[in-house]
Amino acid sequence: MRRMTQTPPDLPLRALFDAQRAASRAEIEPPLALRRDRLRRVRELIDAHGAVLADAVQADFGVRSPRLTEVADLFVLRAAIGQLHRELPGWMKSRRVATPFYLLPARAHIRRQPLGVVGVIAPWNYPVQLALGPAAAALAAGNRVMLKPSELTPHTSALLASLVHQTFAADEFCVVQGGPDVARSFASLPFDHLFFTGSTAVGRQVAEAAARNLTPTTLELGGKSPCVIDASCDMADAALKIAHGKLLNAGQTCIAPDYVLLPRGREADFQRAYEAAVGRLFPTLPGHADYASILTDRHHARLQDLLAEARAQGARVHTLGSPGVGGHDRQMAPVLVFGMPANGRLMQEEIFGPILPVLPYDTLDAAIAHIHAQPRPLALYWFGRDTAARNQVLSRTVSGGVTVNDTLMHVAHDNLPFGGVGESGWGSYHGEAGFLRFTLQKPVLVQSRWAMGSVFYPPYGQRFARVMGLLKRWL
Ligand code: NAD
């Protein structure tokens, strides 16, 4: 394998970028075998070091079960890499397209080409999956990749950097570590594509920085994803699935249910069912080893402030769980909030923690109006058996994705594009959508020597007028 003489940390950011750019221009279309070899190296990296990566994530969080990392980071990655490896030969192929009669007998196709150098900026909440997932898709599409993982997971980011640099040449795939200053410089590089996963506020800054270079971006952002409970739902089942989606990683999941809309009068039913669901998932809480802690004291304090404000605004805060032995200071008990005023911060900001506001609605129209009053969400969940009501919600709302009668699961389906809309982001990835995200679909027309194009050439005389007259009738 060709390697650069200097190790990445010795090279300034710009030099790393220039090396990747030069390498991408020297080999515009890497062959299938090389792309598969790069995927194989990412797969081997997580297979050989999955356990230490999970330990690093645990060290960063305080409590973050290695089994959660196994399912939510490593399993998801393996599935994605497996699909990329399998489908790559078909996805790389040029597509023939039909030619309109007025251009016959020319032929046309769409050539799928790598973009060049892709920058990936990753968040902390699933720090392995959200770093290596986009990177693997970009490598499969034949690109060079520079990755900037989060500074808030320093153990994981340092380990990722060291493993990637042992496995890849720096002009092939490299990791740049650092905080917001480095991130800002990173986002100002003239990438061929910049893929950002993180908050809406930082996404806005990334889009601005990229616009200065006319670098196209994908923004995978956050938001307030609603759960709509229909009167026809099985409450115990809905509550279990909502509790799973909300409490996975203690609510620190971009597509976690942010709040619940349910028919007025069903609040007590939901509280009972949610309480039972939490007891089933985490029999002791806080203190359960499978229940993640909040990442930092700052994030924990923000969640406590949100609750204090909610109480001060007259909301009823109901704390769940039966404390176990030990536990971590930042393992925060799940909370239901009833009677939350619409202008409170809890209803304005993405919660990103185990707090679940429950809002009653009188009519389906009112529930839909509530969703429309907010920015377009990353995900929407609907629970019930009444398909007419379900179709009403699906056809009258816009969200990045939907799971019906469960939470989160659309993200795990690799034939579904995953992404946001409006303030929850733009552009999508996963499966072929991910491959195409990092691919130029280059149109190619191959002219025939028998082409009739000259009938359109000037000077525009009688013959031109006759042809235009005929075309007007045929088109
Ligand atoms: P964040 O926006 O604070 O940080 C994300 C990354 O951006 C980090 O690597 C950080 O160093 C970098 N960064 C910081 N300032 C920057 C700047 N000015 N320019 C460029 N990069 C900069 O997000 P976070 O706190 O790490 O993650 C939580 C957020 O991410 C939540 O809002 C969550 O919903 C969202 N998220 C979205 C998805 C998705 O797929 N849509 C997935 C996970 C998390």
Side-chain angles (χ1 to χ4, degrees):
M1 182 201 317
R2 189 166 56 87
R3 284 185 185 278
M4 293 173 57
T5 46
Q6 277 176 294
T7 55
D10 299 332
L11 281 175
L13 194 53
R14 181 69 208 208
L16 272 174
F17 173 78
D18 288 342
Q20 288 220 347
R21 193 171 193 281
S24 76
R25 270 51 176 176
E27 190 182 40
I28 297 280
E29 292 186 358
L32 171 67
L34 178 54
R35 299 188 197 196
R36 279 187 153 166
D37 179 59
R38 288 174 179 157
L39 285 174
R40 180 190 54 76
R41 281 182 267 157
V42 179
R43 169 75 200 235
E44 282 177 7
L45 183 159
I46 56 171
D47 282 351
H49 305 284
V52 274
L53 278 165
D55 287 346
V57 177
Q58 165 103 293
D60 286 327
F61 270 74
V63 184
R64 182 31 149 90
S65 164
R67 285 164 298 190
L68 172 56
T69 300
E70 180 63 40
V71 62
D73 284 81
L74 304 178
F75 163 78
V76 172
L77 265 176
R78 284 191 189 100
I81 293 168
Q83 189 200 30
L84 286 166
H85 191 273
R86 250 187 345 271
E87 303 293 343
L88 203 46
W91 291 349
M92 281 173 68
K93 277 203 186 102
S94 293
R95 263 56 182 169
R96 272 210 119 104
V97 292
T99 297
F101 71 90
Y102 50 84
L103 288 175
L104 286 172
R107 288 163 169 273
H109 65 270
I110 296 168
R111 192 177 184 94
R112 294 185 161 189
Q113 269 191 331
L115 299 175
V117 183
V118 170
V120 174
I121 302 179
W124 52 263
N125 58 334
Y126 294 95
V128 184
Q129 187 225 130
L130 295 173
L132 294 183
L139 289 170
N143 300 281
R144 311 276 163 160
V145 177
M146 291 176 70
L147 165 67
K148 212 302 279 169
S150 173
E151 68 282 12
L152 297 182
T153 45
H155 295 90
T156 313
S157 298
L159 183 57
L160 275 176
S162 137
L163 295 174
V164 166
H165 297 151
Q166 284 164 34
T167 316
F168 287 89
D171 60 359
E172 201 176 24
F173 179 16
C174 68
V175 180
V176 174
Q177 294 181 79
D181 285 349
V182 172
R184 264 189 290 277
S185 309
F186 188 92
S188 66
L189 290 170
F191 289 111
D192 296 300
H193 191 93
L194 182 53
F195 187 99
F196 172 81
T197 307
S199 59
T200 299
V202 175
R204 220 179 282 281
Q205 295 176 37
V206 169
E208 281 175 14
R212 282 193 277 278
N213 298 314
L214 294 181
T215 290
T217 54
T218 301
L219 301 179
E220 298 284 345
L221 311 177
K224 295 184 80 61
S225 299
C227 280
V228 183
I229 292 185
D230 188 68
S232 64
C233 89
D234 169 347
M235 191 61 95
D237 186 59
L240 179 62
K241 284 158 176 173
I242 294 171
H244 174 248
K246 182 71 180 178
L247 301 181
L248 189 86
N249 208 22
Q252 300 164 111
T253 301
C254 57
I255 49 170
D258 191 88
Y259 62 95
V260 169
L261 288 163
L262 87 184
R264 191 176 299 281
R266 302 294 299 275
E267 296 93 318
D269 285 354
F270 179 75
Q271 179 176 324
R272 264 192 305 277
Y274 193 75
E275 211 149 2
V278 172
R280 175 174 158 187
L281 295 170
F282 304 104
T284 55
L285 203 64
H288 200 284
D290 290 338
Y291 186 70
S293 51
I294 303 303
L295 183 78
T296 67
D297 290 343
R298 174 170 63 84
H299 291 85
H300 189 257
R302 174 185 161 270
L303 292 167
Q304 298 303 328
D305 284 353
L306 289 179
L307 282 183
E309 279 182 30
R311 282 194 185 93
Q313 289 174 313
R316 177 169 74 84
V317 173
H318 180 71
T319 305
L320 295 98
S322 356
V325 185
H328 189 282
D329 287 350
R330 292 196 307 272
Q331 262 185 327
M332 180 177 167
V335 170
L336 291 174
V337 179
F338 297 91
M340 187 63 211
N343 61 356
R345 258 173 80 206
L346 207 51
M347 290 318 302
Q348 301 291 323
E349 296 178 12
E350 178 183 11
I351 295 174
F352 224 56
I355 305 172
L356 186 63
V358 179
L359 313 181
Y361 65 82
D362 293 309
T363 60
L364 192 55
D365 283 352
I368 291 173
H370 179 95
I371 295 166
H372 282 304
Q374 313 270 332
R376 288 177 162 170
L378 185 57
L380 180 144
Y381 304 111
W382 186 87
F383 290 87
R385 299 278 158 233
D386 178 344
T387 46
R390 179 181 84 188
N391 290 339
Q392 284 272 328
V393 173
L394 294 196
S395 64
R396 292 174 59 198
T397 60
V398 177
S399 57
V402 171
T403 294
V404 169
N405 286 323
D406 206 343
T407 57
L408 314 182
M409 292 304 151
H410 62 286
V411 74
H413 192 310
D414 266 340
N415 290 324
L416 290 177
F418 178 80
V421 54
E423 293 214 2
S424 56
W426 60 52
S428 53
Y429 74 127
H430 288 188
E432 191 173 14
F435 177 84
L436 292 176
R437 199 75 217 148
F438 300 115
T439 295
L440 173 67
Q441 300 221 62
K442 186 163 83 175
V444 179
L445 184 136
V446 181
Q447 188 57 288
S448 160
R449 58 193 292 221
W450 310 111
M452 303 288 286
S454 62
V455 298
F456 300 111
Y457 293 177
Y460 303 122
Q462 287 283 315
R463 191 177 64 154
F464 176 81
R466 265 200 314 279
V467 170
M468 280 296 146
L470 282 174
L471 285 178
K472 250 189 228 162
R473 266 189 269 146
W474 288 341
L475 288 176

